[in-house]
mmCIF file of all heavy atoms in Angstrom:
data_model
loop_
_atom_site.group_PDB
_atom_site.id
_atom_site.type_symbol
_atom_site.label_atom_id
_atom_site.label_comp_id
_atom_site.label_asym_id
_atom_site.label_seq_id
_atom_site.Cartn_x
_atom_site.Cartn_y
_atom_site.Cartn_z
ATOM 1 N N ILE K 635 -137.345 -97.891 228.637
ATOM 2 C CA ILE K 635 -136.740 -99.051 227.982
ATOM 3 C C ILE K 635 -137.454 -100.304 228.469
ATOM 4 O O ILE K 635 -137.789 -100.436 229.638
ATOM 5 C CB ILE K 635 -135.221 -99.144 228.252
ATOM 6 C CG1 ILE K 635 -134.903 -98.901 229.732
ATOM 7 C CG2 ILE K 635 -134.444 -98.202 227.371
ATOM 8 C CD1 ILE K 635 -133.443 -99.070 230.076
ATOM 9 N N LEU K 636 -137.687 -101.217 227.532
ATOM 10 C CA LEU K 636 -138.470 -102.413 227.813
ATOM 11 C C LEU K 636 -137.617 -103.676 227.724
ATOM 12 O O LEU K 636 -136.603 -103.712 227.023
ATOM 13 C CB LEU K 636 -139.631 -102.539 226.828
ATOM 14 C CG LEU K 636 -140.596 -101.358 226.725
ATOM 15 C CD1 LEU K 636 -141.697 -101.667 225.708
ATOM 16 C CD2 LEU K 636 -141.204 -101.011 228.076
ATOM 17 N N ASN K 637 -138.062 -104.703 228.450
ATOM 18 C CA ASN K 637 -137.538 -106.063 228.319
ATOM 19 C C ASN K 637 -136.034 -106.155 228.545
ATOM 20 O O ASN K 637 -135.283 -106.624 227.696
ATOM 21 C CB ASN K 637 -137.896 -106.636 226.947
ATOM 22 C CG ASN K 637 -139.378 -106.742 226.732
ATOM 23 O OD1 ASN K 637 -140.128 -106.964 227.683
ATOM 24 N ND2 ASN K 637 -139.827 -106.578 225.503
ATOM 25 N N LEU K 638 -135.617 -105.732 229.729
ATOM 26 C CA LEU K 638 -134.203 -105.857 230.096
ATOM 27 C C LEU K 638 -133.966 -107.206 230.773
ATOM 28 O O LEU K 638 -134.821 -107.692 231.520
ATOM 29 C CB LEU K 638 -133.796 -104.732 231.049
ATOM 30 C CG LEU K 638 -133.767 -103.326 230.449
ATOM 31 C CD1 LEU K 638 -133.538 -102.299 231.552
ATOM 32 C CD2 LEU K 638 -132.689 -103.208 229.377
ATOM 33 N N PRO K 639 -132.800 -107.822 230.555
ATOM 34 C CA PRO K 639 -132.504 -109.094 231.224
ATOM 35 C C PRO K 639 -132.220 -108.886 232.699
ATOM 36 O O PRO K 639 -131.818 -107.791 233.139
ATOM 37 C CB PRO K 639 -131.264 -109.601 230.484
ATOM 38 C CG PRO K 639 -130.624 -108.376 229.929
ATOM 39 C CD PRO K 639 -131.742 -107.436 229.608
ATOM 40 N N ALA K 640 -132.397 -109.945 233.480
ATOM 41 C CA ALA K 640 -132.237 -109.856 234.934
ATOM 42 C C ALA K 640 -130.844 -109.407 235.337
ATOM 43 O O ALA K 640 -130.662 -108.726 236.351
ATOM 44 C CB ALA K 640 -132.563 -111.208 235.555
ATOM 45 N N ASP K 641 -129.816 -109.762 234.543
ATOM 46 C CA ASP K 641 -128.452 -109.428 234.954
ATOM 47 C C ASP K 641 -128.142 -107.934 234.855
ATOM 48 O O ASP K 641 -127.071 -107.490 235.273
ATOM 49 C CB ASP K 641 -127.417 -110.245 234.168
ATOM 50 C CG ASP K 641 -127.578 -110.135 232.663
ATOM 51 O OD1 ASP K 641 -128.290 -109.220 232.202
ATOM 52 O OD2 ASP K 641 -126.984 -110.962 231.949
ATOM 53 N N LEU K 642 -129.084 -107.142 234.313
ATOM 54 C CA LEU K 642 -128.896 -105.691 234.282
ATOM 55 C C LEU K 642 -129.660 -104.977 235.398
ATOM 56 O O LEU K 642 -129.607 -103.748 235.496
ATOM 57 C CB LEU K 642 -129.338 -105.125 232.923
ATOM 58 C CG LEU K 642 -128.482 -105.502 231.706
ATOM 59 C CD1 LEU K 642 -129.045 -104.854 230.445
ATOM 60 C CD2 LEU K 642 -127.029 -105.097 231.906
ATOM 61 N N TYR K 643 -130.356 -105.745 236.239
ATOM 62 C CA TYR K 643 -131.181 -105.131 237.278
ATOM 63 C C TYR K 643 -130.356 -104.276 238.227
ATOM 64 O O TYR K 643 -130.756 -103.169 238.596
ATOM 65 C CB TYR K 643 -131.932 -106.225 238.039
ATOM 66 C CG TYR K 643 -132.945 -105.705 239.040
ATOM 67 C CD1 TYR K 643 -133.625 -104.507 238.833
ATOM 68 C CD2 TYR K 643 -133.233 -106.435 240.192
ATOM 69 C CE1 TYR K 643 -134.562 -104.051 239.735
ATOM 70 C CE2 TYR K 643 -134.170 -105.974 241.107
ATOM 71 C CZ TYR K 643 -134.820 -104.785 240.877
ATOM 72 O OH TYR K 643 -135.741 -104.327 241.782
ATOM 73 N N ALA K 644 -129.193 -104.763 238.615
ATOM 74 C CA ALA K 644 -128.349 -104.006 239.543
ATOM 75 C C ALA K 644 -127.966 -102.658 238.953
ATOM 76 O O ALA K 644 -127.955 -101.634 239.651
ATOM 77 C CB ALA K 644 -127.104 -104.820 239.888
ATOM 78 N N GLN K 645 -127.650 -102.621 237.657
ATOM 79 C CA GLN K 645 -127.289 -101.349 237.025
ATOM 80 C C GLN K 645 -128.469 -100.395 236.969
ATOM 81 O O GLN K 645 -128.312 -99.187 237.164
ATOM 82 C CB GLN K 645 -126.773 -101.600 235.608
ATOM 83 C CG GLN K 645 -125.428 -102.321 235.537
ATOM 84 C CD GLN K 645 -124.908 -102.387 234.116
ATOM 85 O OE1 GLN K 645 -124.788 -101.380 233.425
ATOM 86 N NE2 GLN K 645 -124.613 -103.613 233.668
ATOM 87 N N VAL K 646 -129.658 -100.943 236.703
ATOM 88 C CA VAL K 646 -130.856 -100.091 236.644
ATOM 89 C C VAL K 646 -131.125 -99.478 238.014
ATOM 90 O O VAL K 646 -131.437 -98.287 238.132
ATOM 91 C CB VAL K 646 -132.079 -100.903 236.165
ATOM 92 C CG1 VAL K 646 -133.344 -100.046 236.235
ATOM 93 C CG2 VAL K 646 -131.867 -101.403 234.746
ATOM 94 N N LYS K 647 -130.986 -100.289 239.066
ATOM 95 C CA LYS K 647 -131.266 -99.795 240.419
ATOM 96 C C LYS K 647 -130.303 -98.698 240.845
ATOM 97 O O LYS K 647 -130.661 -97.812 241.629
ATOM 98 C CB LYS K 647 -131.217 -100.956 241.413
ATOM 99 C CG LYS K 647 -132.403 -101.890 241.336
ATOM 100 C CD LYS K 647 -132.496 -102.803 242.538
ATOM 101 C CE LYS K 647 -131.390 -103.818 242.593
ATOM 102 N NZ LYS K 647 -131.592 -104.800 243.691
ATOM 103 N N THR K 648 -129.076 -98.739 240.345
ATOM 104 C CA THR K 648 -128.081 -97.743 240.764
ATOM 105 C C THR K 648 -127.996 -96.554 239.817
ATOM 106 O O THR K 648 -127.267 -95.601 240.099
ATOM 107 C CB THR K 648 -126.697 -98.403 240.878
ATOM 108 O OG1 THR K 648 -126.342 -99.005 239.627
ATOM 109 C CG2 THR K 648 -126.705 -99.468 241.966
ATOM 110 N N ALA K 649 -128.698 -96.585 238.698
ATOM 111 C CA ALA K 649 -128.663 -95.473 237.747
ATOM 112 C C ALA K 649 -129.514 -94.320 238.265
ATOM 113 O O ALA K 649 -130.722 -94.469 238.451
ATOM 114 C CB ALA K 649 -129.160 -95.937 236.378
ATOM 115 N N ALA K 650 -128.899 -93.187 238.494
ATOM 116 C CA ALA K 650 -129.619 -92.034 239.059
ATOM 117 C C ALA K 650 -130.690 -91.509 238.117
ATOM 118 O O ALA K 650 -131.690 -90.933 238.557
ATOM 119 C CB ALA K 650 -128.616 -90.929 239.385
ATOM 120 N N SER K 651 -130.505 -91.707 236.815
ATOM 121 C CA SER K 651 -131.434 -91.146 235.830
ATOM 122 C C SER K 651 -132.582 -92.079 235.474
ATOM 123 O O SER K 651 -133.417 -91.730 234.633
ATOM 124 C CB SER K 651 -130.668 -90.786 234.549
ATOM 125 O OG SER K 651 -130.012 -91.931 234.029
ATOM 126 N N LEU K 652 -132.641 -93.251 236.113
ATOM 127 C CA LEU K 652 -133.691 -94.220 235.779
ATOM 128 C C LEU K 652 -134.328 -94.800 237.029
ATOM 129 O O LEU K 652 -133.705 -94.844 238.087
ATOM 130 C CB LEU K 652 -133.115 -95.371 234.943
ATOM 131 C CG LEU K 652 -132.658 -95.073 233.521
ATOM 132 C CD1 LEU K 652 -132.018 -96.310 232.918
ATOM 133 C CD2 LEU K 652 -133.821 -94.599 232.651
ATOM 134 N N LYS K 653 -135.554 -95.252 236.869
ATOM 135 C CA LYS K 653 -136.235 -95.990 237.925
ATOM 136 C C LYS K 653 -136.723 -97.313 237.347
ATOM 137 O O LYS K 653 -137.329 -97.338 236.273
ATOM 138 C CB LYS K 653 -137.439 -95.198 238.468
ATOM 139 C CG LYS K 653 -137.053 -93.987 239.301
ATOM 140 C CD LYS K 653 -138.293 -93.365 239.930
ATOM 141 C CE LYS K 653 -137.901 -92.204 240.857
ATOM 142 N NZ LYS K 653 -139.092 -91.620 241.530
ATOM 143 N N PRO K 654 -136.427 -98.427 238.026
ATOM 144 C CA PRO K 654 -136.878 -99.718 237.500
ATOM 145 C C PRO K 654 -138.380 -99.897 237.647
ATOM 146 O O PRO K 654 -138.999 -99.343 238.558
ATOM 147 C CB PRO K 654 -136.120 -100.729 238.361
ATOM 148 C CG PRO K 654 -135.870 -100.012 239.649
ATOM 149 C CD PRO K 654 -135.671 -98.565 239.284
ATOM 150 N N GLN K 655 -138.952 -100.653 236.743
ATOM 151 C CA GLN K 655 -140.351 -101.053 236.833
ATOM 152 C C GLN K 655 -140.411 -102.555 236.616
ATOM 153 O O GLN K 655 -139.974 -103.057 235.583
ATOM 154 C CB GLN K 655 -141.213 -100.349 235.785
ATOM 155 C CG GLN K 655 -142.695 -100.726 235.887
ATOM 156 C CD GLN K 655 -143.406 -100.744 234.547
ATOM 157 O OE1 GLN K 655 -142.824 -101.120 233.542
ATOM 158 N NE2 GLN K 655 -144.660 -100.340 234.540
ATOM 159 N N ILE K 656 -140.926 -103.275 237.606
ATOM 160 C CA ILE K 656 -141.043 -104.721 237.518
ATOM 161 C C ILE K 656 -142.517 -105.081 237.405
ATOM 162 O O ILE K 656 -143.324 -104.683 238.245
ATOM 163 C CB ILE K 656 -140.414 -105.409 238.748
ATOM 164 C CG1 ILE K 656 -138.909 -105.122 238.789
ATOM 165 C CG2 ILE K 656 -140.666 -106.908 238.720
ATOM 166 C CD1 ILE K 656 -138.242 -105.620 240.043
ATOM 167 N N ILE K 657 -142.858 -105.803 236.342
ATOM 168 C CA ILE K 657 -144.228 -106.273 236.158
ATOM 169 C C ILE K 657 -144.220 -107.785 236.286
ATOM 170 O O ILE K 657 -143.514 -108.482 235.557
ATOM 171 C CB ILE K 657 -144.782 -105.869 234.789
ATOM 172 C CG1 ILE K 657 -144.902 -104.342 234.706
ATOM 173 C CG2 ILE K 657 -146.141 -106.515 234.549
ATOM 174 C CD1 ILE K 657 -145.447 -103.838 233.393
ATOM 175 N N ARG K 658 -144.973 -108.280 237.242
ATOM 176 C CA ARG K 658 -145.049 -109.726 237.406
ATOM 177 C C ARG K 658 -146.469 -110.129 237.780
ATOM 178 O O ARG K 658 -147.152 -109.365 238.465
ATOM 179 C CB ARG K 658 -144.044 -110.209 238.457
ATOM 180 C CG ARG K 658 -144.212 -109.655 239.850
ATOM 181 C CD ARG K 658 -143.130 -110.210 240.762
ATOM 182 N NE ARG K 658 -143.391 -109.813 242.140
ATOM 183 C CZ ARG K 658 -142.601 -110.122 243.165
ATOM 184 N NH1 ARG K 658 -141.512 -110.833 242.968
ATOM 185 N NH2 ARG K 658 -142.909 -109.735 244.381
ATOM 186 N N PRO K 659 -146.875 -111.275 237.310
ATOM 187 C CA PRO K 659 -146.142 -112.166 236.423
ATOM 188 C C PRO K 659 -146.129 -111.647 234.988
ATOM 189 O O PRO K 659 -146.966 -110.827 234.605
ATOM 190 C CB PRO K 659 -146.922 -113.472 236.515
ATOM 191 C CG PRO K 659 -148.335 -113.030 236.784
ATOM 192 C CD PRO K 659 -148.207 -111.812 237.666
ATOM 193 N N TYR K 660 -145.172 -112.151 234.212
ATOM 194 C CA TYR K 660 -145.028 -111.756 232.818
ATOM 195 C C TYR K 660 -145.027 -112.976 231.900
ATOM 196 O O TYR K 660 -145.696 -113.008 230.893
ATOM 197 C CB TYR K 660 -143.734 -110.959 232.653
ATOM 198 C CG TYR K 660 -143.502 -110.406 231.272
ATOM 199 C CD1 TYR K 660 -144.449 -109.588 230.674
ATOM 200 C CD2 TYR K 660 -142.327 -110.685 230.572
ATOM 201 C CE1 TYR K 660 -144.238 -109.067 229.404
ATOM 202 C CE2 TYR K 660 -142.112 -110.168 229.310
ATOM 203 C CZ TYR K 660 -143.067 -109.360 228.719
ATOM 204 O OH TYR K 660 -142.861 -108.848 227.468
ATOM 205 N N TYR K 661 -144.244 -113.960 232.257
ATOM 206 C CA TYR K 661 -144.222 -115.240 231.548
ATOM 207 C C TYR K 661 -144.238 -116.374 232.553
ATOM 208 O O TYR K 661 -143.692 -116.244 233.648
ATOM 209 C CB TYR K 661 -142.972 -115.379 230.679
ATOM 210 C CG TYR K 661 -143.073 -114.735 229.319
ATOM 211 C CD1 TYR K 661 -142.549 -113.459 229.100
ATOM 212 C CD2 TYR K 661 -143.682 -115.395 228.260
ATOM 213 C CE1 TYR K 661 -142.638 -112.862 227.860
ATOM 214 C CE2 TYR K 661 -143.783 -114.794 227.014
ATOM 215 C CZ TYR K 661 -143.246 -113.538 226.810
ATOM 216 O OH TYR K 661 -143.346 -112.946 225.587
ATOM 217 N N ALA K 662 -144.865 -117.497 232.165
ATOM 218 C CA ALA K 662 -144.792 -118.729 232.934
ATOM 219 C C ALA K 662 -143.799 -119.642 232.210
ATOM 220 O O ALA K 662 -144.016 -119.988 231.046
ATOM 221 C CB ALA K 662 -146.162 -119.393 233.029
ATOM 222 N N GLN K 663 -142.712 -119.996 232.888
ATOM 223 C CA GLN K 663 -141.653 -120.758 232.242
ATOM 224 C C GLN K 663 -141.770 -122.248 232.549
ATOM 225 O O GLN K 663 -142.029 -122.648 233.688
ATOM 226 C CB GLN K 663 -140.268 -120.258 232.670
ATOM 227 C CG GLN K 663 -139.135 -120.893 231.869
ATOM 228 C CD GLN K 663 -137.788 -120.255 232.148
ATOM 229 O OE1 GLN K 663 -137.684 -119.328 232.952
ATOM 230 N NE2 GLN K 663 -136.755 -120.732 231.488
ATOM 231 N N PHE K 664 -141.566 -123.060 231.527
ATOM 232 C CA PHE K 664 -141.674 -124.515 231.621
ATOM 233 C C PHE K 664 -140.477 -125.184 230.950
ATOM 234 O O PHE K 664 -139.804 -124.575 230.112
ATOM 235 C CB PHE K 664 -142.945 -125.018 230.917
ATOM 236 C CG PHE K 664 -144.231 -124.634 231.583
ATOM 237 C CD1 PHE K 664 -144.766 -123.363 231.420
ATOM 238 C CD2 PHE K 664 -144.926 -125.542 232.371
ATOM 239 C CE1 PHE K 664 -145.962 -122.998 232.017
ATOM 240 C CE2 PHE K 664 -146.124 -125.195 232.968
ATOM 241 C CZ PHE K 664 -146.637 -123.930 232.795
ATOM 242 N N LEU K 665 -140.258 -126.441 231.311
ATOM 243 C CA LEU K 665 -139.376 -127.333 230.565
ATOM 244 C C LEU K 665 -140.278 -128.286 229.793
ATOM 245 O O LEU K 665 -141.021 -129.075 230.385
ATOM 246 C CB LEU K 665 -138.460 -128.118 231.506
ATOM 247 C CG LEU K 665 -137.594 -129.188 230.819
ATOM 248 C CD1 LEU K 665 -136.540 -128.536 229.922
ATOM 249 C CD2 LEU K 665 -136.921 -130.086 231.862
ATOM 250 N N LEU K 666 -140.252 -128.205 228.461
ATOM 251 C CA LEU K 666 -141.086 -129.061 227.629
ATOM 252 C C LEU K 666 -140.347 -130.347 227.292
ATOM 253 O O LEU K 666 -139.148 -130.317 226.976
ATOM 254 C CB LEU K 666 -141.490 -128.341 226.340
ATOM 255 C CG LEU K 666 -142.736 -127.449 226.444
ATOM 256 C CD1 LEU K 666 -142.481 -126.269 227.363
ATOM 257 C CD2 LEU K 666 -143.173 -126.962 225.072
ATOM 258 N N LEU K 667 -141.046 -131.464 227.369
ATOM 259 C CA LEU K 667 -140.470 -132.785 227.134
ATOM 260 C C LEU K 667 -141.045 -133.375 225.851
ATOM 261 O O LEU K 667 -142.252 -133.315 225.624
ATOM 262 C CB LEU K 667 -140.772 -133.700 228.327
ATOM 263 C CG LEU K 667 -140.376 -133.148 229.708
ATOM 264 C CD1 LEU K 667 -140.846 -134.089 230.811
ATOM 265 C CD2 LEU K 667 -138.874 -132.927 229.795
ATOM 266 N N ASN K 668 -140.186 -133.941 225.026
ATOM 267 C CA ASN K 668 -140.604 -134.501 223.741
ATOM 268 C C ASN K 668 -141.265 -135.853 223.964
ATOM 269 O O ASN K 668 -140.595 -136.889 224.094
ATOM 270 C CB ASN K 668 -139.394 -134.637 222.811
ATOM 271 C CG ASN K 668 -139.800 -135.012 221.391
ATOM 272 O OD1 ASN K 668 -140.894 -135.504 221.158
ATOM 273 N ND2 ASN K 668 -138.906 -134.771 220.444
ATOM 274 N N THR K 669 -142.570 -135.863 224.029
ATOM 275 C CA THR K 669 -143.332 -137.078 224.344
ATOM 276 C C THR K 669 -143.515 -138.003 223.153
ATOM 277 O O THR K 669 -144.155 -139.052 223.273
ATOM 278 C CB THR K 669 -144.715 -136.691 224.886
ATOM 279 O OG1 THR K 669 -145.396 -135.903 223.891
ATOM 280 C CG2 THR K 669 -144.595 -135.883 226.169
ATOM 281 N N SER K 670 -142.959 -137.659 221.996
ATOM 282 C CA SER K 670 -143.182 -138.442 220.783
ATOM 283 C C SER K 670 -142.192 -139.582 220.609
ATOM 284 O O SER K 670 -142.372 -140.416 219.727
ATOM 285 C CB SER K 670 -143.131 -137.535 219.546
ATOM 286 O OG SER K 670 -141.804 -137.095 219.305
ATOM 287 N N LYS K 671 -141.131 -139.614 221.443
ATOM 288 C CA LYS K 671 -140.111 -140.650 221.262
ATOM 289 C C LYS K 671 -139.430 -140.935 222.598
ATOM 290 O O LYS K 671 -139.550 -140.157 223.558
ATOM 291 C CB LYS K 671 -139.075 -140.201 220.226
ATOM 292 C CG LYS K 671 -138.181 -139.019 220.646
ATOM 293 C CD LYS K 671 -137.259 -138.637 219.519
ATOM 294 C CE LYS K 671 -136.281 -137.541 219.935
ATOM 295 N NZ LYS K 671 -135.240 -138.061 220.852
ATOM 296 N N PRO K 672 -138.705 -142.059 222.686
ATOM 297 C CA PRO K 672 -137.984 -142.368 223.917
ATOM 298 C C PRO K 672 -136.939 -141.288 224.214
ATOM 299 O O PRO K 672 -136.392 -140.686 223.290
ATOM 300 C CB PRO K 672 -137.315 -143.712 223.615
ATOM 301 C CG PRO K 672 -138.157 -144.313 222.525
ATOM 302 C CD PRO K 672 -138.598 -143.128 221.695
ATOM 303 N N PRO K 673 -136.627 -141.035 225.488
ATOM 304 C CA PRO K 673 -137.202 -141.727 226.642
ATOM 305 C C PRO K 673 -138.471 -141.077 227.200
ATOM 306 O O PRO K 673 -139.132 -141.641 228.049
ATOM 307 C CB PRO K 673 -136.082 -141.625 227.668
ATOM 308 C CG PRO K 673 -135.474 -140.284 227.390
ATOM 309 C CD PRO K 673 -135.515 -140.143 225.874
ATOM 310 N N PHE K 674 -138.832 -139.865 226.708
ATOM 311 C CA PHE K 674 -139.923 -139.128 227.341
ATOM 312 C C PHE K 674 -141.304 -139.543 226.860
ATOM 313 O O PHE K 674 -142.305 -138.943 227.255
ATOM 314 C CB PHE K 674 -139.711 -137.625 227.191
ATOM 315 C CG PHE K 674 -138.549 -137.106 227.990
ATOM 316 C CD1 PHE K 674 -137.444 -136.543 227.358
ATOM 317 C CD2 PHE K 674 -138.540 -137.218 229.373
ATOM 318 C CE1 PHE K 674 -136.366 -136.081 228.097
ATOM 319 C CE2 PHE K 674 -137.461 -136.757 230.118
ATOM 320 C CZ PHE K 674 -136.368 -136.193 229.479
ATOM 321 N N ASP K 675 -141.383 -140.582 226.010
ATOM 322 C CA ASP K 675 -142.693 -141.162 225.722
ATOM 323 C C ASP K 675 -143.164 -142.047 226.880
ATOM 324 O O ASP K 675 -144.316 -142.488 226.923
ATOM 325 C CB ASP K 675 -142.657 -141.964 224.417
ATOM 326 C CG ASP K 675 -141.653 -143.108 224.438
ATOM 327 O OD1 ASP K 675 -140.788 -143.139 225.339
ATOM 328 O OD2 ASP K 675 -141.739 -143.977 223.546
ATOM 329 N N ASN K 676 -142.281 -142.262 227.858
ATOM 330 C CA ASN K 676 -142.582 -143.039 229.062
ATOM 331 C C ASN K 676 -142.869 -142.082 230.214
ATOM 332 O O ASN K 676 -142.022 -141.255 230.576
ATOM 333 C CB ASN K 676 -141.389 -143.935 229.410
ATOM 334 C CG ASN K 676 -141.701 -144.927 230.517
ATOM 335 O OD1 ASN K 676 -142.344 -144.595 231.515
ATOM 336 N ND2 ASN K 676 -141.227 -146.159 230.366
ATOM 337 N N VAL K 677 -144.064 -142.197 230.807
ATOM 338 C CA VAL K 677 -144.450 -141.257 231.857
ATOM 339 C C VAL K 677 -143.548 -141.359 233.078
ATOM 340 O O VAL K 677 -143.332 -140.369 233.799
ATOM 341 C CB VAL K 677 -145.936 -141.441 232.234
ATOM 342 C CG1 VAL K 677 -146.159 -142.766 232.957
ATOM 343 C CG2 VAL K 677 -146.438 -140.272 233.072
ATOM 344 N N LYS K 678 -142.980 -142.519 233.335
ATOM 345 C CA LYS K 678 -142.078 -142.655 234.484
ATOM 346 C C LYS K 678 -140.826 -141.800 234.289
ATOM 347 O O LYS K 678 -140.318 -141.200 235.246
ATOM 348 C CB LYS K 678 -141.699 -144.118 234.707
ATOM 349 C CG LYS K 678 -142.824 -144.964 235.281
ATOM 350 C CD LYS K 678 -142.323 -146.355 235.661
ATOM 351 C CE LYS K 678 -143.441 -147.163 236.323
ATOM 352 N NZ LYS K 678 -142.968 -148.516 236.741
#
């Protein structure tokens, strides 16, 4: 099974019939700011 959310990790670890596989890194997460209008058109 692929792409499980983090909140299911505990269940995967305790399931006798499964073994978890963690691949990292997988995604780089960012907060994107709308630079086209106030207030984030101001670098400060």
Side-chain angles (χ1 to χ4, degrees):
I635 45 176
L636 304 181
N637 298 328
L638 292 172
D641 54 15
L642 292 180
Y643 187 31
Q645 292 187 54
V646 175
K647 287 194 291 187
T648 57
S651 58
L652 291 175
K653 288 187 176 183
Q655 182 213 36
I656 296 173
I657 295 180
R658 60 181 187 182
Y660 184 56
Y661 276 97
Q663 188 172 0
F664 292 79
L665 174 68
L666 275 66
L667 307 175
N668 189 341
T669 59
S670 71
K671 68 183 185 73
F674 291 116
D675 59 346
N676 189 318
V677 69
K678 287 188 176 182

